[in-house]
Amino acid sequence: MQDKWCVFCGTYLETAWHTFFNCHFSKDYWRALGMSYTIERCILSIDCTKDLILTLIEELGSDEAAKFGAVQRTVGKAATARPCLASVAWHTPFVGKLKVNVDAVFFGDSMQTGFGMTLRDDQGGFVAAKTVVYHCRLDFDIGEAMGFMEALSWVKNLGLQNFVVEGDVKTVVKAINLKTEGVSTFYDVISVCNKLISVIVNCSVSFAKCEANIMAHTFAQVSRVHESPSYWFDPPNFVVGLPVSVCSCGA
């Protein structure tokens, strides 16, 4: 399962759509080449990777089409020349604490952002899970920060204390822990996260590698096929047997 993660961002399951158009690293390529506007416009009306590529080749000028093809080949080669990833364990929280894992998924084909969050105890036991869908596709950093906000709001409303919220995007975790301020939507969300933390007893935020965050990611992946919000209090079949080991050494 681990070799299905995107070789560039390491955060989302690798699909052709994600690799070429939805991964923030690929978006940086298109933005640098001046193609992002054309690509974003076409994505609004096309949800098939093959059709989108053919349409872009037709719409781009000959020079831009050649550059697009060159980048596409480079991205494809990099994706197939991936390193072998070592097994990464999900660490239980310290005794008496709970752990919430959270992740966001950006659906380019339906212009939605899905969130998945799981709650487990200090033995690794499944306690609950929740999914939420926003009917808009958020920017990567904002979406990931919104995931933390959703998770913190959830546990606050449950009246929980003594827990850690864990996600797999270092920039968001760092911004929350350092209480970074700025003038943008991203920093507005970070501020809300810290306000929520301030009213919750013994709450912290930490980083986990994406392989250890696979359960939350899987819930996020299925978020758009369920009502929003949706809740689980027993592990559903789609997460039973996920290839993540549990390490009982605290986090």
Side-chain angles (χ1 to χ4, degrees):
M1 175 67 76
Q2 290 173 348
D3 64 355
K4 293 183 180 179
W5 293 97
C6 175
V7 71
F8 299 110
C9 67
T11 306
Y12 301 100
L13 295 179
E14 186 173 84
T15 63
W17 185 277
H18 172 79
T19 301
F20 292 118
F21 303 114
N22 205 35
C23 177
H24 62 284
F25 283 93
S26 297
K27 287 181 177 180
D28 288 342
Y29 274 121
W30 306 132
R31 190 176 297 110
L33 291 172
M35 301 180 190
S36 59
Y37 174 78
T38 302
I39 291 173
E40 292 292 336
R41 179 170 53 81
C42 290
I43 283 175
L44 291 174
S45 58
I46 301 172
D47 59 8
C48 171
T49 303
K50 180 180 178 181
D51 291 345
L52 179 56
I53 291 173
L54 292 175
T55 300
L56 287 169
I57 291 174
E58 291 178 358
E59 293 221 359
L60 296 170
S62 57
D63 290 343
E64 285 188 324
K67 292 178 182 178
F68 175 80
V71 171
Q72 192 180 17
R73 289 190 294 273
T74 300
V75 170
K77 288 179 180 178
T80 57
R82 63 177 64 251
C84 180
L85 297 176
S87 176
V88 176
W90 179 85
H91 292 262
T92 61
F94 289 119
V95 174
K97 297 191 71 172
L98 297 167
K99 177 178 283 190
V100 179
N101 282 80
V102 61
D103 201 9
V105 168
F106 306 87
F107 300 111
D109 56 345
S110 59
M111 303 302 291
Q112 295 174 306
T113 304
F115 305 96
M117 54 209 81
T118 60
L119 177 63
R120 285 184 277 183
D121 61 25
D122 56 12
Q123 300 298 311
F126 184 95
V127 177
K130 179 183 178 180
T131 58
V132 179
V133 175
Y134 288 7
H135 294 285
C136 60
R137 194 181 61 179
L138 300 170
D139 289 341
F140 177 79
D141 285 340
I142 294 174
E144 293 290 352
M146 291 291 284
F148 275 89
M149 188 188 76
E150 286 286 348
L152 288 163
S153 297
W154 179 40
V155 293
K156 175 180 177 293
N157 291 335
L158 289 174
L160 298 178
Q161 57 186 25
N162 298 321
F163 65 88
V164 57
V165 179
E166 193 172 74
D168 55 25
V169 180
K170 285 184 177 180
T171 53
V172 176
V173 173
K174 182 177 180 180
I176 293 174
N177 284 330
L178 294 180
K179 299 182 180 180
T180 308
E181 297 181 351
V183 183
S184 71
T185 301
F186 173 75
Y187 291 115
D188 289 343
V189 178
I190 296 300
S191 177
V192 173
C193 288
N194 278 305
K195 287 178 181 177
L196 288 166
I197 292 171
S198 69
V199 298
I200 300 172
V201 176
N202 197 10
C203 171
S204 61
V205 169
S206 67
F207 169 77
K209 291 187 176 181
C210 58
E211 295 90 346
N213 207 36
I214 189 172
M215 186 179 290
H217 183 82
T218 302
F219 273 101
Q221 286 277 21
V222 304
S223 60
R224 62 175 171 176
V225 300
H226 296 279
E227 292 184 1
S228 180
S230 286
Y231 301 90
W232 288 261
F233 298 98
D234 292 295
N237 290 334
F238 58 79
V239 298
V240 174
L242 285 174
V244 178
S245 58
V246 174
C247 179
S248 301
C249 55

